[in-house]
Amino acid sequence: MSGNILTTAACGLLLTSLYFATRWFDRRNRSSLPPPPGPKGWPLIGNMFDLPTKDEYRVYSQWHETYGDICSVTVLGQRIVIINSPDVAFKLLNKQIYAGRPHYNMCCDLVGWSHALVMLPYGERFKGYRAMLKNAFGSRASVEKYKETMETETHHCLARLLNQEGSTNFTGPIRRSIGAILLGITHGYEVQSEHDSLVRIADQATDQLGVLLTPGSFMVDTISALRFIPTWFPGPFADFKRLARDWRSDLYGLTEQSYAFVKKQVSAGTASPSFVQELIEGKDLTEQEELDIKWVASSIYLGGADMPVSALSSLMLAMVMFPEMQKKAQAEIDAVVGHDRLPLFSDRDDLPYVESMLREIIRFGPPVPLGAPHCVTEDDVYEGMLIPKDSIVVANLWHFLQDPNVYPNPEVFDPERFIAREGKPAQPDPYDFCFGFGRRICPGVHLTDAQMYIFTASILSVFNIEKVVENGVVQEPKHEFTSGVLIRPKPFKAVLKPRSAKAEALIRMFGDTA
């Protein structure tokens, strides 16, 4: 056993030395142009100790004051470029050479995310995924065929929220309903409970992706040789391998179980209409075609569940902090919808304040503050600065959306900032960049937007979202968010109360509180 350990360690040391030597010679042969500015690093390790471990988006926003619209750091030879200007992001990230994704050893190889759309390398397989998704979700009109599913599940969510009146756990019912919509659309699968096994696995995998994409989380992403450490290696050195094994089980469990469910239903002739059912029923598929279908379907949930849940949590926070905005939205809904029914998609064009509220929700609390990382596939030059091939490039959406020079009083939730008036143009639409750039723009933008609309309008039509009073003390929430690639408001207390006896009766008509 000791001989195996020594051999593994020696191989790791040799490969690490070759890695650094290759990096050094490669840099010497690159252009003499300077990279984007940034904190001064140390020899070999670069800016390892400058990378923030929490509130990354806030730290990068502060760097804007020192280094300008674009800055960079290096960690063990890997350059990371941070863009703090939407104009720069559009100029760079809309180029095809920025359509790549970084190849994180932990995320892509050890856990297996290289098959999912979010981390799939740009190429023919990527284009095939996009074509399938464009056909199903590529426009607001194409999402219309799912409106009944979304409206029905939203009504069920209202009933569950009512059933737990007085509780501050509003996220659970919303997450269940978003999961039910996505699994119903993709696989015709009916979610059984808030703790449904597929929803649980999917949510775990999504949370894990946030960790996997955080720069500096795993040393194996920088030193590839570490991947050869065997899982049985004693002590903490192989902890990441054991973690990868468990997380791979979650990711593949979701993908395989959900696809097997549809195949079984199709074979039995009992399959509900769904994205997967339409692609496989009556088809003689190759092994590769089946692989692509199962992963693109899984990607819809993995890429689409967290953003609406986070956004709706931000809605709750905003409504508690700014009750006057809640009243304005409710007045508009009452005028258009009335008190005898719930909002429908057909009401949307007549609800401009609610429409603007969707933009403000994303601006107030960007669910993915740094977007998904891009990778430049060849050297690029921007305003005399070299962005080397294989650089990781991130757009700091948080800074774009919280910049007081663009959005005055950014800490204030104000949907009217997106409503143009005479002498006062609307402020920039967050939808122009919050769903990504170029060839990597989110293919599910219309589906996410539709879910945000129907949940926002429906919840506000029948509930008042209020502050919690404990022992006579009002619990005041703050505009604070978690750290990481995927964020949501830090825990806060809020309570949902029916707006009236008629509103409560309307909710109960839809009944499903299971």
Side-chain angles (χ1 to χ4, degrees):
M1 179 68 75
S2 61
N4 289 336
I5 294 174
L6 290 173
T7 300
T8 300
C11 289
L13 181 60
L14 175 60
L15 290 169
T16 302
S17 300
L18 289 172
Y19 170 84
F20 281 116
T22 301
R23 286 271 188 178
W24 185 76
F25 282 114
D26 186 46
R27 283 199 302 270
R28 288 195 63 184
N29 292 327
R30 291 260 175 97
S31 169
S32 60
L33 290 174
K40 185 177 180 180
W42 294 85
L44 292 180
I45 64 171
N47 301 99
M48 181 181 290
F49 300 116
D50 294 309
L51 279 183
T53 57
K54 64 177 182 179
D55 296 336
E56 302 89 345
Y57 46 92
R58 292 185 185 274
V59 175
Y60 295 155
S61 184
Q62 293 167 3
W63 286 2
H64 176 264
E65 299 177 10
T66 305
Y67 305 111
D69 290 345
I70 183 170
C71 59
S72 70
V73 292
T74 61
V75 178
L76 297 175
Q78 172 65 64
R79 186 158 296 278
I80 302 170
V81 178
I82 300 103
I83 299 175
N84 276 314
S85 159
D87 290 339
V88 176
F90 283 123
K91 289 175 183 177
L92 296 182
L93 300 183
N94 284 339
K95 297 180 182 180
Q96 182 173 326
I97 62 171
Y98 286 86
R101 284 284 192 242
H103 187 87
Y104 296 125
N105 294 314
M106 181 71 171
C107 178
C108 297
D109 296 332
L110 299 180
V111 178
W113 277 89
S114 58
H115 291 294
L117 180 65
V118 67
M119 296 307 294
L120 190 69
Y122 183 76
E124 291 307 312
R125 190 179 181 196
F126 173 85
K127 294 176 184 177
Y129 277 31
R130 299 281 300 198
M132 284 189 275
L133 292 171
K134 183 177 181 180
N135 183 56
F137 311 110
S139 66
R140 181 179 286 188
S142 65
V143 173
E144 282 282 304
K145 61 184 175 182
Y146 307 117
K147 65 181 182 181
E148 184 176 344
T149 297
M150 289 186 277
E151 288 172 349
T152 299
E153 191 53 48
T154 303
H155 299 164
H156 292 335
C157 180
L158 298 178
R160 295 181 194 115
L161 289 169
L162 177 65
N163 195 45
Q164 60 173 38
E165 183 180 348
S167 170
T168 59
N169 174 30
F170 49 81
T171 304
I174 291 174
R175 181 175 287 279
R176 172 183 171 178
S177 291
I178 294 294
I181 289 170
L182 293 175
L183 287 172
I185 288 172
T186 57
H187 297 86
Y189 179 83
E190 184 176 345
V191 173
Q192 300 302 313
S193 73
E194 185 177 325
H195 305 290
D196 185 274
S197 60
L198 273 184
V199 174
R200 177 183 55 78
I201 294 173
D203 289 343
Q204 287 176 181
T206 303
D207 290 343
Q208 291 158 10
L209 180 63
V211 178
L212 291 165
L213 295 186
T214 301
S217 293
F218 299 97
M219 188 62 69
V220 69
D221 290 331
T222 304
I223 304 176
S224 298
L226 295 177
R227 62 184 298 184
F228 297 109
I229 293 177
T231 305
W232 52 260
F233 199 84
F237 299 104
D239 282 351
F240 75 95
K241 292 291 290 288
R242 292 183 278 272
L243 191 65
R245 177 192 59 203
D246 295 340
W247 287 6
R248 187 182 184 91
S249 177
D250 288 340
L251 179 61
Y252 277 71
L254 167 67
T255 303
E256 298 295 341
Q257 289 177 38
S258 57
Y259 185 74
F261 169 82
V262 183
K263 285 197 70 174
K264 183 178 179 180
Q265 298 291 310
V266 168
S267 296
T270 59
S272 300
S274 70
F275 175 80
V276 174
Q277 172 266 329
E278 289 182 9
L279 290 172
I280 70 173
E281 192 163 30
K283 307 286 179 58
D284 185 17
L285 301 171
T286 66
E287 184 177 341
Q288 184 61 49
E289 286 172 335
E290 276 206 295
L291 183 69
D292 289 348
I293 290 170
K294 71 172 63 172
W295 277 101
V296 75
S298 186
S299 295
I300 296 170
Y301 191 106
L302 294 168
D306 206 74
M307 188 166 188
V309 173
S310 175
L312 291 167
S313 295
S314 293
L315 167 70
M316 300 294 185
L317 175 64
M319 294 300 91
V320 175
M321 293 182 67
F322 301 93
E324 66 277 15
M325 307 305 178
Q326 179 176 185
K327 291 177 181 177
K328 287 183 180 181
Q330 289 171 331
E332 180 181 76
I333 294 168
D334 292 345
V336 173
V337 177
H339 302 280
D340 298 320
R341 65 177 178 87
L342 294 171
L344 301 170
F345 279 101
S346 56
D347 299 313
R348 184 168 184 175
D349 290 341
D350 298 319
L351 298 171
Y353 189 87
V354 172
E355 187 72 28
S356 297
M357 181 175 277
L358 305 183
R359 270 71 179 168
E360 183 67 343
I361 291 169
I362 293 294
R363 191 209 62 78
F364 187 72
V368 191
L370 298 176
H374 292 245
C375 180
V376 61
T377 55
E378 59 184 66
D379 285 357
D380 193 26
V381 176
Y382 177 74
E383 294 192 348
M385 295 174 284
L386 174 68
I387 300 176
K389 177 183 177 182
D390 297 328
S391 294
I392 296 172
V393 185
V394 296
N396 189 0
L397 304 182
W398 176 273
H399 182 79
F400 300 176
L401 298 169
Q402 300 291 317
D403 185 349
N405 296 314
V406 179
Y407 301 102
N409 302 313
E411 71 285 352
V412 174
F413 185 89
D414 181 13
E416 292 186 21
R417 66 174 77 239
F418 301 115
I419 300 176
R421 291 181 172 81
E422 186 176 350
K424 186 180 178 183
Q427 294 171 25
D429 188 345
Y431 275 29
D432 289 343
F433 46 76
C434 70
F435 289 98
F437 299 87
R439 291 160 180 81
R440 284 289 180 175
I441 195 167
C442 175
V445 55
H446 298 291
L447 181 58
T448 296
D449 171 63
Q451 291 177 93
M452 287 173 55
Y453 159 73
I454 196 63
F455 275 83
T456 297
S458 299
I459 290 171
L460 292 178
S461 72
V462 293
F463 286 111
N464 286 322
I465 306 166
E466 301 177 358
K467 295 176 182 178
V468 171
V469 179
E470 292 182 344
N471 300 319
V473 179
V474 177
Q475 303 298 304
E476 296 285 353
K478 298 180 181 179
H479 186 236
E480 296 178 338
F481 293 79
T482 58
S483 298
V485 175
L486 305 168
I487 68 170
R488 55 183 60 89
K490 288 185 177 179
F492 67 96
K493 294 183 178 180
V495 63
L496 278 67
K497 297 180 180 178
R499 294 178 62 197
S500 66
K502 193 169 187 178
E504 181 174 346
L506 192 60
I507 299 170
R508 292 194 185 281
M509 287 176 59
F510 298 95
D512 179 11
T513 58

